[in-house]
């Protein structure tokens, strides 16, 4: 299903771990399905900033920034 941009709601928030795991599974980055909800919760914890995209209540995209607190910040987990 293709959605128009006006049908997507962007929120400046870290996604819920269970929704993140479902979205992450669509990427093919974890072919053995090792990412658990608990591991996702731990990984998402140190996020500095995130944007999550929703179609209704379904997470359809995300991106987040993590960093070392001093010098470097990285854009990670960009998934659409």
């Amino acid at each position: 299903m293709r959605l128009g941009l006006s049908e997507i709601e962007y929120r400046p928030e870290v996604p819920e771990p269970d929704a993140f795991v479902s979205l992450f599974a669509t990427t093919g980055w974890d072919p053995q399905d090792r990412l658990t909800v608990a591991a996702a919760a731990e990984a998402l914890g140190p996020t500095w900033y995130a944007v999550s995209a929703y179609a209704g209540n379904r997470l359809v995209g995300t991106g987040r920034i993590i960093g070392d607190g001093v010098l470097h910040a990285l854009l990670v987990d960009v998934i659409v």
Side-chain angles (χ1 to χ4, degrees):
M1 168 176 37
R2 295 184 68 87
L3 298 170
L5 290 178
S6 63
E7 298 174 82
I8 304 294
E9 178 186 358
Y10 300 93
R11 302 178 195 163
E13 63 187 30
V14 176
E16 291 296 321
D18 58 334
F20 180 82
V21 168
S22 294
L23 182 62
F24 190 82
T26 69
T27 65
W29 296 343
D30 184 20
Q32 286 81 33
D33 294 324
R34 294 178 295 165
L35 182 63
T36 65
V37 172
E42 186 174 341
L44 294 169
T47 301
W48 284 5
Y49 184 80
V51 173
S52 296
Y54 293 87
N57 290 325
R58 185 172 62 102
L59 180 68
V60 295
T62 192
R64 62 192 188 100
I65 298 172
I66 60 173
D68 61 18
V70 178
L71 189 59
H72 299 287
L74 305 167
L75 180 60
V76 297
D77 295 330
V78 177
I79 305 169
V80 179

